[in-house]
Amino acid sequence: MQIYMVGGAVRDALMGLPVTDRDWVVVGATPEDLVKLGYLPVGRDFPVFLHPDTREEYALARTERKTAPGYRGFAIHAAPDVTLEQDLARRDLTINSIAIDINWTGAGGQIDIKKEPFIDPFDGRGDIERKVLRHVSDAFREDPVRILRVARLAARFSDFTVAPETLQLMREMVQHGEADHLVRERVWQEVSRGLMAQKPSRMFEVLRACEALPRLFPEVQALNCSLQSGVLDLTASLQAPLPVRFACLCIRLQPPAQQQSASQPSHAVSKPACWLEDLTLRLRVPTPCSELANVVLRERGAIDKSSEIAADAMVDLLDRCDAFRKPARLADILQACKCLALDDHAETAPDEPPTDIPYPAQERVLKALAAGQSVATTLIAYNAITAGATGQEIGENIRRARIDAVAKALGT
């Protein structure tokens, strides 16, 4: 039995990046062999085990044969006679098909790249030096998730290019309908990781180049428009969290007829726009992301013009954003609105760094929230109840107190 570190851990070490998740492949063993050593079997589709001490994943070397369309349409062969080279050959990209013997790793699995005991049958190290994302073999076409993975890695390694032959292969996969068999959860998993990458716009550029973008985001094709990606890279430069990045993406996908100008009043509509609801349901977007996108879509105009609204309208805005119950989410809403405003400004002043442009609405709304939070709502409610007030009257008393506090804080 031989054990090798493989995949992204080796790649990242060679690129001088922090190694976080380590993957291991075991050659020359059976599931029974690993169970006897204390490994815990966890794989549903193929033999994967958790190390008894580190809890890292160890997979038996395997080969795969396509049997049906989609992500799960594979016949798996995992046996002691499967070689390391055969296991590496089934992987997606050459830069992910490099291995290193466990005996050459340091304590805890650190890699000393100066020792260079690498098994690299597909010249992955050469492609790292050339900064190229290249598929290992024609078997790449058998897993449609790889289309998304290449696009996501292009966003992470933004100075890498996709090899022309790999891009052509991805295009053929889309044309043959493989992208139509993608599992929604896997689409969101890869898209969300791409949104959190160094340059998210690269993910969409690659998806467009291989013709997968209209399949995954039909909103783009239906609108006959280009996806404005500058705001996505701006959110990355500001290290915005995922809900903020997704909200900015959604605003740029918004149908023109539904786009709200900053001069238009916001309406307290809790139901999301139909197109946004379709998008979030189709991609199985987590609730924090979908809710933030809906609020930003609805309230962006009012927030951008918040310097012109009175204290009562400001309190109404805070209520619609549910800011008194979820102040942390308001910070995300404001960051998304700021990114969108800065990106809009960048289109008219491309030579001016967008991060240097002030966005006074952010400070003003947060100042109003702090004033509203300072109101002693419990005491107001107690006094109102003592005076025999109803629930609606209590709420109105609290609202009036917040309006007074906001007006004083903002000088309105």
Side-chain angles (χ1 to χ4, degrees), residues 69-82:
Y71 170 63
R72 299 190 182 278
F74 290 94
I76 305 298
H77 174 67
D81 62 344
V82 178

Side-chain angles (χ1 to χ4, degrees), residues 1-4 24 100-106 115 117:
M1 183 173 72
Q2 292 177 290
I3 300 177
Y4 301 88
W24 305 89
I100 182 173
D101 192 296
I102 191 173
N103 295 319
W104 286 89
T105 62
K115 295 181 179 178

Side-chain angles (χ1 to χ4, degrees), residues 63-341:
T63 58
E64 298 171 346
R65 179 172 52 85
K66 190 71 170 176
T67 58
Y71 170 63
R72 299 190 182 278
F74 290 94
I76 305 298
H77 174 67
D81 62 344
V82 178
T83 66
L84 175 64
E85 287 72 15
Q86 287 176 311
D87 183 90
L88 295 176
R90 67 169 178 80
R91 297 177 182 271
D92 50 7
L93 301 175
T94 60
I95 65 171
N96 294 332
S97 299
I98 311 169
I100 182 173
D101 192 296
I102 191 173
N103 295 319
W104 286 89
T105 62
Q110 294 89 353
I111 301 174
D112 184 355
I113 62 174
K114 295 180 181 179
K115 295 181 179 178
E116 297 187 356
F118 298 96
I119 298 91
D120 184 15
F122 304 103
D123 194 27
R125 285 177 295 175
D127 280 339
I128 288 176
E129 294 177 0
R130 289 183 286 268
K131 298 185 182 300
V132 173
L133 301 174
R134 190 192 317 275
H135 64 285
V136 173
S137 71
D138 197 60
F140 179 97
R141 69 170 68 246
E142 297 177 350
D143 186 355
V145 174
R146 290 172 171 175
I147 297 173
L148 285 164
R149 191 173 299 138
V150 170
R152 187 252 299 172
L153 286 174
R156 182 184 178 192
F157 307 129
S158 58
D159 56 344
F160 276 55
T161 59
V162 181
E165 62 271 24
T166 300
L167 191 62
Q168 177 59 30
L169 182 56
M170 293 164 62
R171 193 176 294 116
E172 292 173 4
M173 293 169 66
V174 174
Q175 294 170 351
H176 293 161
E178 276 292 328
D180 300 331
H181 297 285
L182 283 164
V183 178
R184 287 181 287 181
E185 290 83 356
R186 293 303 304 273
V187 173
W188 173 250
Q189 182 182 23
E190 296 294 334
V191 168
S192 62
R193 293 178 70 181
L195 287 174
M196 292 303 294
Q198 179 185 30
K199 193 173 182 181
S201 65
R202 285 276 289 135
M203 174 172 62
F204 295 98
E205 289 172 6
V206 171
L207 291 176
R208 184 187 299 279
C210 72
E211 302 175 7
L213 190 59
R215 303 290 184 96
L216 300 173
F217 293 92
E219 295 80 6
V220 177
Q221 185 179 40
L223 297 174
N224 192 28
C225 69
S226 62
L227 180 63
Q228 300 182 41
S229 55
V231 69
L232 298 181
D233 295 341
L234 180 59
T235 63
S237 69
L238 296 176
Q239 298 183 335
L242 177 60
V244 171
R245 302 189 191 202
F246 179 72
C248 290
L249 168 65
C250 290
I251 296 300
R252 291 310 188 221
L253 289 176
Q254 186 180 7
Q258 298 183 27
Q259 290 180 7
Q260 180 187 57
S261 73
S263 62
Q264 291 176 319
S266 173
H267 300 285
V269 180
S270 59
K271 185 176 180 180
C274 291
W275 69 269
L276 178 57
E277 189 172 18
D278 291 343
L279 173 66
T280 55
L281 288 175
R282 188 176 72 248
L283 296 182
R284 299 281 177 90
V285 176
T287 299
C289 291
S290 61
E291 286 186 348
L292 192 79
N294 182 43
V295 176
V296 172
L297 178 67
R298 189 184 67 224
E299 302 296 345
R300 181 194 172 201
I303 291 172
D304 283 349
K305 304 293 286 185
S306 59
S307 62
E308 304 173 8
I309 63 177
D312 58 343
M314 180 68 82
V315 171
D316 290 341
L317 171 62
L318 293 172
D319 279 332
R320 292 197 303 271
C321 293
D322 205 7
F324 295 112
R325 288 198 317 122
K326 301 177 180 179
R329 192 180 73 167
L330 179 66
D332 287 345
I333 294 169
L334 293 173
Q335 187 177 30
C337 290
K338 176 181 179 179
C339 289
L340 290 161

